[in-house]
Amino acid sequence: MTSPLLKRTPLFDSLTRAGGRMVDFHGWELPVQFAGILAEHQAVRTACGVFDVSHMGQIFLAGREAHRFVEHVNCNRMSAVPGRGTYAHLLAEDGGILDDAITFCLGPERFLAIVNAATCHDDFAWFRQQAEGWDVALDNASDRFGMLAVQGPNAPALVADLFPAARTLPRFGIVEVPFGGGMAILMRTGYTGEEGFEIAASPAGIQEVWEELMRRGGQHGLVPCGLGSRDTLRLEAGYLLYGQDADTSRTPFEANCGWVVKLQKGDFIGREALIRRQEAGFREKLTGVRLLERGVPRHGCAVWRGDRQIGTLTSATFAPSLGTGIGLGYLQPDAWEPGTRVAVEIHHKRVVAETVRGPFRKNKV
């Protein structure tokens, strides 16, 4: 049973009518599955799936110094090209990861940050604190939007059928388009390793998008998908889950995301701490692990090398596309080399595994 205090997205009634089995996800009542996790996973890998991601946060940033501010609060080099977005980490002064987010440039002085649901309130408060003295206006519009993710090899054709602008939208592109009686925001992004789009609109607008997708989606193999398949898909793709695989205790370097850090771009929050911590070296790094024997690893499983525990899995599951168990965990340096033999402890039994360089499955994007 779910709590009556849980938040619900604008699509809650549609999701329950479609057979969604609801669970508590960071204070939101969201479907963990519809027809089943394996069937939904396979649909996204071979055809098309749609996920309600309305719990994600949408924060607008506007003003004369908006781009400079976006650069200041992100560790990556942030695009100032209208219609393009950048994945980056928001860092604390000590270099720890506050959140991972995609920030899009909507215009010369207008940006949109898509942030995680569990951190949205804190992210906005942190933005406001950092924005003191800057010519930038902040607007947490999360309550005014719903959002859907349409993912899979057939997603481009389906979404283009509804939004013709999708045909020419590049990866990490964004465009605002008329839809129904209002506007929708179309982004070529996703969390599955497949081609796909994310669509944001008003609560009424996102309901209309859902209905149109379900009406047109049959010929594209579209199925509604829940949190369960979203997790197996993203883990195969090697994507982080904030709060499990990354948090304020870890830097992007430890989270195996050094590629999002652009120290040479100049000052940003956490830069000096990252330099110091990088020079000091790291005792652990987020590392992929693949089972070589039967077993289903889970979050919290210990990882061993010989008689020594070298880490713990932060995310783990059975990978339907690979037919074996996989996981991510912060491991000690002697296991960082791909192919290193380790063991994962599952129900007090040590299962033979090896470390791998991610992603576990080659992504289509």
Side-chain angles (χ1 to χ4, degrees):
M1 263 180 91
T2 54
S3 165
L5 300 178
L6 295 177
K7 297 178 184 178
R8 291 178 173 179
T9 78
L11 294 168
F12 177 83
D13 290 340
S14 295
L15 299 174
T16 54
R17 283 196 297 270
R21 199 182 86 192
M22 299 299 179
V23 297
D24 179 352
F25 183 75
H26 295 295
W28 288 86
E29 196 167 0
L30 292 170
V32 66
Q33 65 179 50
F34 290 85
I37 292 173
L38 292 180
E40 293 161 27
H41 181 108
Q42 183 68 6
V44 173
R45 288 286 183 243
T46 61
C48 197
V50 59
F51 303 80
D52 181 14
V53 291
S54 300
H55 57 297
M56 301 290 287
Q58 297 85 25
I59 299 174
F60 287 89
L61 308 93
R64 183 175 56 86
E65 294 185 297
H67 179 247
R68 282 187 56 225
F69 179 76
V70 166
E71 287 278 18
H72 180 61
V73 297
N74 285 277
C75 63
N76 205 346
R77 192 181 301 278
M78 308 303 288
S79 178
V81 178
R84 300 306 301 266
T86 310
Y87 172 82
H89 292 173
L90 310 177
L91 303 181
E93 291 286 356
D94 67 358
I97 303 170
L98 296 170
D99 200 3
D100 64 334
I102 300 176
T103 301
F104 296 94
C105 179
L106 294 169
E109 299 182 354
R110 187 165 170 256
F111 292 80
L112 169 62
I114 304 295
V115 301
N116 284 298
T119 54
C120 182
H121 179 271
D122 290 342
D123 287 350
F124 185 64
W126 184 76
F127 279 156
R128 292 183 64 181
Q129 179 185 4
Q130 303 304 325
E132 292 183 12
W134 290 74
D135 184 2
V136 59
L138 304 173
D139 177 19
N140 185 357
S142 306
D143 290 340
R144 306 198 302 273
F145 281 90
M147 198 157 85
L148 288 167
V150 187
Q151 303 284 298
N154 295 349
L158 171 58
V159 175
D161 189 32
L162 190 56
F163 298 100
R167 294 189 177 92
T168 56
L169 197 66
R171 177 71 174 159
F172 280 92
I174 187 171
V175 64
E176 296 175 279
V177 293
F179 183 78
M183 298 292 292
I185 301 173
L186 182 64
M187 299 157 278
R188 194 155 193 168
T189 48
Y191 194 48
T192 64
E194 296 290 340
E195 281 281 6
F197 297 82
E198 292 174 310
I199 307 159
S202 69
I206 206 67
Q207 180 65 49
E208 189 174 349
V209 173
W210 167 271
E211 291 170 358
E212 283 296 316
L213 288 171
M214 298 308 290
R215 184 173 70 84
R216 302 167 187 241
Q219 62 181 317
H220 300 281
L222 181 72
V223 301
C225 299
L227 296 167
S229 59
R230 191 168 184 253
D231 193 55
T232 57
L233 291 158
R234 70 91 189 169
L235 190 52
E236 287 186 350
Y239 295 153
L240 299 181
L241 175 60
Y242 187 82
Q244 284 190 198
D245 305 317
D247 56 31
T248 55
S249 71
R250 304 290 184 177
T251 67
F253 294 120
E254 291 165 284
N256 206 21
C257 288
W259 59 274
V260 305
V261 178
K262 301 298 187 291
L263 294 172
Q264 67 275 21
K265 80 170 186 174
D267 190 39
F268 58 85
I269 296 173
R271 180 178 183 273
E272 296 307 313
L274 283 184
I275 293 172
R276 291 193 304 270
R277 292 173 73 166
Q278 187 180 36
E279 289 175 346
F282 301 105
R283 293 193 298 269
E284 294 180 324
K285 184 175 73 173
L286 194 66
T287 306
V289 174
R290 178 174 56 209
L291 297 193
L292 299 177
E293 298 176 339
R294 292 182 61 181
V296 180
R298 297 298 184 196
H299 164 81
C301 285
V303 182
W304 296 80
R305 190 166 189 217
D307 59 358
R308 180 170 53 90
Q309 183 176 343
I310 58 169
T312 303
L313 296 182
T314 54
S315 287
T317 190
F318 175 79
S321 303
L322 306 174
T324 191
I326 60 173
L328 295 173
Y330 284 91
L331 305 185
Q332 295 173 9
D334 59 335
W336 292 355
E337 181 67 25
T340 301
R341 287 296 176 101
V342 295
V344 176
E345 186 172 341
I346 304 173
H347 302 306
H348 307 293
K349 177 186 176 183
R350 295 185 190 179
V351 179
V352 177
E354 66 178 359
T355 58
V356 298
R357 179 178 287 113
F360 295 97
R361 177 184 181 274
K362 186 176 180 181
N363 293 333
K364 302 293 180 64
V365 291

